[in-house]
Amino acid sequence: MSTVHLTLIGKPGCHLCDDARDMVGTVVAKLADDPAAPVITIEEKSILEDAALHELYVEDIPVLLLNGKVHNYWRIDPLRLRTALLEAQS
């Protein structure tokens, strides 16, 4: 079974970041019982604690990285994320 790593980049007090966190959590939870789903790890990073991330994404948060590559900015589409997670293990 493969592992897929998600990184959510945002900052405290960002309502879009809160929405993105909730959506990612919902999608990952729904995949938990799917035998076709990979193992999914989730990490959060703040642009307030990382100057390089701040420089890259200050106008784009939240940003969701899937295995280190940008998957989405601002709003998370649950179907697109689910599909990407299932395809990422292939």
Side-chain angles (χ1 to χ4, degrees):
M1 181 173 282
S2 63
T3 299
V4 175
H5 185 72
L6 295 175
T7 306
L8 182 60
I9 301 169
K11 69 178 183 178
C14 166
H15 71 90
L16 289 177
C17 301
D18 294 339
D19 292 347
R21 181 183 308 104
D22 291 345
M23 185 57 64
V24 168
T26 298
V27 170
V28 170
K30 287 182 179 179
L31 284 174
D33 294 328
D34 186 336
V39 172
I40 301 167
T41 62
I42 304 171
E43 173 184 24
E44 286 195 48
K45 294 186 177 184
S46 171
I47 63 168
L48 301 180
E49 297 173 3
D50 186 315
L53 291 177
H54 186 274
E55 180 72 24
L56 283 171
Y57 300 121
V58 68
E59 298 293 326
D60 298 320
I61 61 169
V63 178
L64 182 64
L65 307 180
L66 192 152
N67 289 337
K69 296 182 182 177
V70 173
H71 170 74
N72 228 119
Y73 296 100
W74 304 307
R75 299 209 183 269
I76 307 299
D77 178 304
L79 182 57
R80 182 170 177 262
L81 177 57
R82 182 183 189 284
T83 301
L85 290 168
L86 291 172
E87 290 176 351
Q89 66 180 342
S90 331

